[in-house]
């Protein structure tokens, strides 16, 4: 009984100290540096969407502004870093952009996710095999 009480008290003390591993959390848009570097003023909304994807925040009150927001929490203390890339449009053409994103981390996460989870789309050969069954 004493051993069990000792183990429980030690585990409660260490749980509050941040010694236990915490999973890194990445949320938001993964933006490739090469894609962001290709942004040019005068691009249409559709061209921008094809290039860097849909925005994480589309404000219904400001339809000429797109926000690509991403956050990451990688340390044991739980501090969250937030970055925001904002694009402004005039007459459905890209006028300017400013802000920041996680270019190195996004590239590493994108490469690691393929190894960890596999590709999102099935290969054509696999599709043909499934159809024949």
């Amino acid at each position: 009984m004493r051993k069990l009480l000792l183990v429980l008290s030690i585990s409660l003390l260490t749980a509050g100290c941040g010694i236990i591993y915490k999973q890194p959390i990445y949320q938001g848009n993964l933006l490739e540096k090469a894609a962001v570097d290709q942004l040019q003023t005068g691009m249409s909304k559709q061209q921008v969407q094809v290039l860097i994807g849909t925005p994480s925040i589309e404000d219904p009150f400001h339809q000429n502004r797109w926000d690509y927001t991403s956050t990451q929490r990688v340390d044991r203390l739980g501090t969250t870093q937030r970055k925001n890339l904002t694009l402004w449009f005039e007459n459905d053409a890209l006028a300017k952009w400013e802000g920041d994103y996680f270019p190195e981390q996004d590239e590493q996460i994108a490469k690691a996710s393929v190894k960890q989870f596999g590709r999102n789309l099935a290969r054509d050969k696999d599709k043909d095999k499934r159809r024949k069954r």
Side-chain angles (χ1 to χ4, degrees), residues 3 21 35 48 57 79 88 97-99 105 121:
K3 289 182 182 182
Y21 174 76
V48 171
I57 301 172
T79 54
W88 284 274
W97 63 93
E98 67 179 31
Q105 290 95 333
L121 301 174

Side-chain angles (χ1 to χ4, degrees), residues 73-93:
R73 187 187 79 193
V74 293
D75 61 355
R76 292 185 304 182
L77 300 176
T79 54
T80 303
Q81 294 178 350
R82 178 175 293 142
K83 302 239 178 159
N84 191 36
L85 179 67
T86 305
L87 282 65
W88 284 274
F89 294 90
E90 292 177 3
N91 299 325
D92 288 338

Side-chain angles (χ1 to χ4, degrees), residues 12-122:
L12 285 174
L13 288 173
T14 57
C17 296
I19 295 174
I20 297 176
Y21 174 76
K22 290 186 181 178
Q23 177 74 24
I25 298 173
Y26 304 97
Q27 293 180 321
N29 295 79
L30 292 177
L31 300 175
E32 294 181 13
K33 183 174 179 4
V36 174
D37 291 342
Q38 291 179 20
L39 287 175
Q40 298 175 358
T41 56
M43 294 178 83
S44 69
K45 286 185 176 182
Q46 185 177 12
Q47 289 173 321
V48 171
Q49 194 171 15
V50 167
L51 188 61
I52 60 176
T54 57
S56 54
I57 301 172
E58 274 189 80
D59 189 353
F61 300 109
H62 302 97
Q63 294 184 3
N64 292 327
R65 175 182 167 164
W66 287 2
D67 290 301
Y68 293 85
T69 303
S70 57
T71 60
Q72 70 177 6
R73 187 187 79 193
V74 293
D75 61 355
R76 292 185 304 182
L77 300 176
T79 54
T80 303
Q81 294 178 350
R82 178 175 293 142
K83 302 239 178 159
N84 191 36
L85 179 67
T86 305
L87 282 65
W88 284 274
F89 294 90
E90 292 177 3
N91 299 325
D92 288 338
L94 184 61
K96 66 177 183 172
W97 63 93
E98 67 179 31
D100 203 5
Y101 60 103
F102 299 105
E104 294 83 21
Q105 290 95 333
D106 287 354
E107 188 174 336
Q108 290 172 354
I109 293 168
K111 287 180 182 177
S113 68
V114 173
K115 292 177 186 175
Q116 187 175 7
F117 301 111
R119 300 209 179 273
N120 290 335
L121 301 174

